[in-house]
């Protein structure tokens, strides 16, 4: 790949994001500087993904691990400089925030929110209602529980109110409900489905989240919505039914976990049809995995695979850029060494799914994103 050569000057967040010529935190002309100096605005390169995306009003995000923020210097610097939105990869999941019933442990999630504030980033809250990563006291498998139906309903309501209120004003988009449908387009038979005797929990979850923070954008989030088929159709029908019931749903998140072993999806059609319902859309968890060596999980078996991966990354970002309703594009992490893919997709072994390599050096996949953004000056501003 030819590296993209753009001006490497360092600019302030205020200049790029606000389009202003004054620096945030600088004193107005003629004013006496006060004794307590405000902290300087964050700086990042003019050819960073976030600076380029800001020119069309797109937020470019990443999932982060709070244990690495502050402890791994290179990781921390990239997270701050390249991205204008942050998703805690695991830190806001129910198992993390309430492992012991009635005792909240918000520290790690709070740390992510503080990092975002410091670096002028917005937060995608992930996720309130899911069948995975539930605390053991609630369910070990997402489909069975020792609690009664009424208790399940009560704990979900409390969970949503407590968590959304805790982060009120700090979360831009919430993934309120995650992965409620299976690949056959059937509602998953989760503890939520069983307690409600149907998908009615989805409407309740959105209503509660909206009451707890009326300003947050509320999303339904799922994978394989990128492809037209029974799953995407089922979610589309569900969203229309929520709208008919005047449920406060504002967006649909396309996770975007892609693999070169499948053809590139008809993402544009699907983004467009959901957007045509008057919703925002977002790419929320993008990675592009490929078959790799079991003894070197981020080394593609096929030396040409990175070119296919670059094409998938570029087209996915361009599909979002082309649509005003597509408000954020979030790769699921950035360094191959920290990706969930090699541990999750092992038959066959897949990996090399992110835009930085194991040493946190940018790959060709990073450069195609940079190029797509650099060439997007004609894209609609959002
Ligand atoms: C994954 C995380 O990346 C892993 O660290 C964790 O072990 C399992 O969950 N869809 C989602 C994400 O909505 O929350 C998942 O994240 C990936 C699939």
């Amino acid at each position: 790949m030819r590296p993209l050569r753009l001006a490497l000057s360092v600019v302030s967040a205020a200049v790029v994001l606000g389009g202003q010529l004054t620096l945030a935190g600088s004193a107005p002309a003629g004013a006496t500087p006060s004794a307590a100096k405000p902290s300087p605005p964050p700086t990042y390169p003019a050819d960073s993904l976030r600076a380029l995306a800001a020119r069309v009003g797109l937020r470019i995000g990443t999932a982060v691990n709070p244990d690495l923020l502050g402890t791994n210097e290179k990781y921390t610097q990239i997270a701050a400089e390249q991205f204008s939105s942050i998703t805690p990869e695991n830190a806001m999941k129910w198992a993390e925030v309430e492992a012991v019933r009635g005792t909240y442990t918000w520290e790690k999630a709070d740390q992510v929110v503080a990092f975002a504030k410091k670096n002028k980033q917005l937060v995608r809250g992930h996720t309130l209602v899911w069948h995975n990563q539930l605390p053991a006291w609630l369910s070990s498998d997402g489909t069975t529980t020792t609690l009664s139906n009424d208790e399940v309903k009560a704990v979900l309501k409390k969970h949503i109110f407590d968590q959304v209120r805790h982060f009120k004003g700090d979360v831009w988009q919430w993934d309120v409900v995650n992965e409620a449908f299976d690949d056959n387009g059937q509602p998953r038979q989760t503890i939520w489905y069983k307690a409600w005797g149907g998908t009615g929990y989805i409407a309740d979850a959105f209503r509660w989240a909206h009451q707890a923070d009326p300003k947050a954008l509320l999303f339904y989030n799922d994978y394989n919505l990128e492809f037209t088929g029974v799953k995407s159709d089922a979610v589309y029908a569900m969203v229309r039914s929520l709208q008919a019931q005047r449920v406060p749903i504002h967006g649909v998140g396309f996770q975007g976990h892609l693999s070169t072993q499948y053809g590139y999806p008809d993402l544009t059609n699907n983004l467009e049809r959901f957007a045509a319902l008057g919703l925002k859309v977002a790419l929320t968890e993008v990675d592009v995995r490929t078959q790799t060596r079991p003894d070197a999980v981020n080394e593609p078996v096929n030396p040409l695979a990175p070119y296919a991966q670059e094409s998938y990354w570029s087209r996915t970002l361009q599909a979002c850029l082309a649509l005003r309703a597509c408000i954020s594009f979030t790769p699921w992490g950035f360094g191959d060494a920290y990706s969930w893919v090699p541990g999750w997709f092992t038959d066959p072994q897949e990996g090399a799914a992110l835009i930085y390599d194991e040493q946190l050096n940018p790959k060709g996949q990073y450069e195609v994103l940079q190029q797509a953004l650099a060439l997007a000056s004609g894209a609609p501003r959002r």
Side-chain angles (χ1 to χ4, degrees):
M1 279 304 301
R2 287 173 308 278
L4 183 73
R5 300 251 175 259
L6 292 174
L8 269 169
S9 62
V10 170
V11 293
S12 93
V15 171
V16 171
L17 292 179
Q20 308 280 326
L21 288 174
T22 49
L23 294 180
S26 64
T32 329
S34 64
K37 263 201 183 159
S39 58
T43 57
Y44 47 84
D47 67 347
S48 61
L49 301 180
R50 67 180 293 179
L52 294 169
R55 302 187 310 174
V56 290
L58 177 72
R59 290 282 169 163
I60 181 115
T62 191
V64 291
N65 175 351
D67 295 338
L68 297 171
L69 290 178
T71 58
N72 180 326
E73 208 179 311
K74 198 167 179 186
Y75 179 97
T76 308
Q77 186 185 354
I78 294 169
E81 284 188 357
Q82 295 293 330
F83 304 100
S84 47
S85 153
I86 292 281
T87 310
E89 182 170 356
N90 291 299
M92 283 189 185
K93 291 173 181 173
W94 201 332
E96 304 296 316
V97 299
E98 200 191 359
V100 175
R101 189 170 182 180
T103 305
Y104 288 115
T105 45
W106 303 119
E107 290 74 17
K108 294 203 169 170
D110 286 349
Q111 208 184 314
V112 175
V113 171
F115 181 84
K117 281 190 185 157
K118 180 170 161 221
N119 293 295
K120 300 236 181 319
Q121 297 163 320
L122 297 180
V123 177
R124 290 200 85 260
H126 176 81
T127 176
L128 298 170
V129 188
W130 197 22
H131 57 282
N132 282 332
Q133 291 175 275
L134 292 170
W137 60 264
L138 176 54
S139 177
S140 56
D141 60 3
T143 59
T144 56
T145 179
T146 55
L147 275 58
S148 70
N149 289 343
D150 283 346
E151 280 179 302
V152 169
K153 289 182 171 181
V155 295
L156 184 63
K157 182 173 184 180
K158 179 172 161 46
H159 171 67
I160 291 176
F161 271 99
D162 288 353
Q163 182 148 356
V164 176
R165 275 192 188 130
H166 180 83
F167 295 108
K168 188 172 177 183
D170 288 336
V171 167
W172 176 41
Q173 303 175 14
W174 269 114
D175 287 333
V176 178
V177 177
N178 199 35
E179 301 180 352
F181 288 82
D182 67 20
D183 280 335
N184 300 319
Q186 296 303 313
R188 287 182 198 276
Q189 305 292 304
T190 61
I191 56 170
W192 317 120
Y193 184 91
K194 289 174 182 168
W196 264 259
T199 54
Y201 72 91
I202 299 176
D204 282 343
F206 277 92
R207 290 192 178 110
W208 292 332
H210 187 62
Q211 282 170 35
D213 186 354
K215 290 195 178 143
L217 293 176
L218 305 184
F219 275 67
Y220 175 81
N221 190 54
D222 214 329
Y223 62 88
N224 281 350
L225 304 182
E226 302 84 18
F227 297 84
T228 304
V230 285
K231 179 167 185 175
S232 183
D233 288 352
V235 170
Y236 183 81
M238 184 267 298
V239 167
R240 290 195 62 166
S241 140
L242 291 176
Q243 290 181 315
Q245 299 166 67
R246 303 202 169 283
V247 172
I249 176 169
H250 309 116
V252 171
F254 290 63
Q255 291 185 2
H257 294 295
L258 304 180
S259 169
T260 60
Q261 68 171 306
Y262 309 113
Y264 180 77
D266 45 351
L267 175 61
T268 295
N269 288 333
N270 280 290
L271 289 175
E272 279 176 355
R273 71 169 168 156
F274 280 93
L277 297 177
L279 296 168
K280 306 284 185 210
V281 290
L283 273 301
T284 56
E285 307 182 11
V286 185
D287 43 30
V288 183
R289 58 192 193 269
T290 197
Q291 197 174 337
T292 51
R293 288 173 34 191
D295 59 330
V297 292
N298 287 311
E299 233 172 80
V301 170
N302 182 340
L304 297 179
Y307 296 102
Q309 293 174 291
E310 287 172 17
S311 162
Y312 279 43
W313 275 105
S314 180
R315 292 170 76 180
T316 305
L317 176 54
Q318 287 179 52
C320 178
L321 278 167
L323 206 63
R324 212 180 147 252
C326 190
I327 58 174
S328 62
F329 180 92
T330 302
W332 200 235
F334 49 90
D336 280 341
Y338 311 107
S339 166
W340 74 304
V341 167
W344 203 270
F345 299 94
T346 54
D347 185 23
Q349 181 64 54
E350 291 180 288
L354 293 174
I355 60 177
Y356 288 77
D357 68 15
E358 288 187 345
Q359 283 72 47
L360 290 175
N361 297 313
K363 307 196 306 195
Q365 283 96 318
Y366 170 89
E367 285 157 9
V368 296
L369 294 189
Q370 205 183 26
Q371 276 166 358
L373 292 169
L375 296 171
S377 54
R381 240 203 107 77
R382 50 222 83 204

